[in-house]
């Protein structure tokens, strides 16, 4: 009896999640500047400046993702096959470009502006480019002082990135330091 009820409720919940994703995807397709074919959104994804957002094909935005930024420099350009996992936050105040095949894990924070030591001062834009094939680990924080993450770099979980990351580097720690490099065989796979 309880097993049957469990499965009925589980199937009903899955159908509601699917319906919510279909509705959220239609809503975002109508409001964003550009959305590529096959791009999907779960419910609870929020864009502060949807007219400044261009997404490539086959991207996926999980529930709770926030994209904030309203200034003159605010923009988000995303390539194809990018996945942004739940509760990640993308600050686009200074401009953010994410190339193809990037994976942003849960609760990652990416910042593109700074206020210096005075929280009441005007935001200073700090544009950021994330290269193709980058993996950003869970709860990683990428500060405005990092302007570029090279192709196929890996940002470890919980890393605090304070400076540029070269292509193929594996960084971890606080502040993030290079702890290795991806092999060309692994990158090609």
């Amino acid at each position: 009896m309880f097993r049957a009820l469990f499965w009925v409720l589980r199937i009903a919940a899955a159908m509601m999640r699917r319906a919510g994703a279909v509705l959220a995807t239609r809503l975002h397709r109508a409001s964003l500047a550009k959305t590529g074919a096959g791009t999907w959104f779960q419910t609870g994804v929020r864009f502060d400046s949807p007219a400044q957002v261009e997404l490539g094909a086959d991207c996926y935005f999980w529930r709770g993702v926030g994209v904030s930024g309203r200034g003159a420099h605010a923009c988000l350009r995303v390539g194809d096959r990018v996945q942004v996992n739940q509760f990640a936050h993308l600050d686009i105040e200074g401009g953010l470009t994410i190339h193809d095949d990037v994976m942003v894990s849960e609760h990652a924070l990416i910042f593109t502006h700074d206020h210096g030591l005075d929280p009441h001062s005007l935001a200073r834009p700090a544009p950021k480019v994330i290269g193709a094939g980058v993996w950003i680990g869970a709860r990683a924080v990428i500060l405005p002082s990092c302007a570029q993450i090279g192709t196929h770099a890996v940002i470890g979980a919980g890393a605090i990135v304070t400076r540029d990351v070269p292509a193929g580097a594996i960084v971890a720690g606080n502040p993030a330091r290079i702890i290795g490099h991806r092999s060309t065989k692994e990158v090609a796979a």
Side-chain angles (χ1 to χ4, degrees):
M1 171 71 172
F2 290 111
R3 182 173 285 174
L5 179 61
F6 168 79
W7 283 107
V8 166
L9 292 174
R10 188 167 175 142
I11 291 168
M15 290 172 49
M16 293 200 49
R17 279 192 305 273
R18 177 68 176 172
V22 168
L23 184 61
T25 298
R26 287 185 179 174
L27 173 72
H28 290 304
R29 282 186 183 281
S31 65
L32 299 178
K34 176 187 166 213
T35 307
T39 294
W40 276 86
F41 305 88
Q42 286 188 348
T43 58
V45 176
R46 178 184 53 80
F47 294 93
D48 278 358
S49 300
Q52 303 301 329
V53 176
E54 295 181 6
L55 306 177
D58 299 316
C59 296
Y60 197 86
F61 284 74
W62 287 77
R63 69 184 174 97
V65 170
V67 179
S68 66
R70 298 176 189 256
H73 302 282
C75 68
L76 174 63
R77 306 288 178 262
V78 175
D80 298 335
R81 298 170 304 282
V82 171
Q83 181 169 322
V84 182
N85 284 299
Q86 51 191 345
F87 304 110
H89 180 78
L90 308 178
D91 162 39
I92 63 168
E93 187 79 24
L96 177 60
T97 301
I98 301 175
H99 290 279
D100 298 343
D101 302 307
V102 171
M103 170 81 78
V104 180
S105 293
E106 294 85 357
H107 298 276
L109 304 172
I110 301 173
F111 295 103
T112 64
H113 79 281
D114 191 5
H115 292 278
L117 297 176
D118 180 8
H120 302 292
S121 67
L122 293 174
R124 294 184 305 220
K128 188 175 310 305
V129 176
I130 298 175
V134 170
W135 295 355
I136 299 174
R139 298 190 187 278
V141 178
I142 302 171
L143 296 174
S145 54
C146 169
Q148 183 166 351
I149 298 175
T151 61
H152 300 291
V154 176
I155 311 298
I160 309 295
V161 181
T162 59
R163 58 184 172 215
D164 291 0
V165 177
I170 301 171
V171 300
N174 179 7
R177 298 197 188 318
I178 296 174
I179 61 169
H181 286 82
R182 292 179 71 182
S183 68
T184 55
K185 195 179 288 183
E186 179 186 350
V187 171

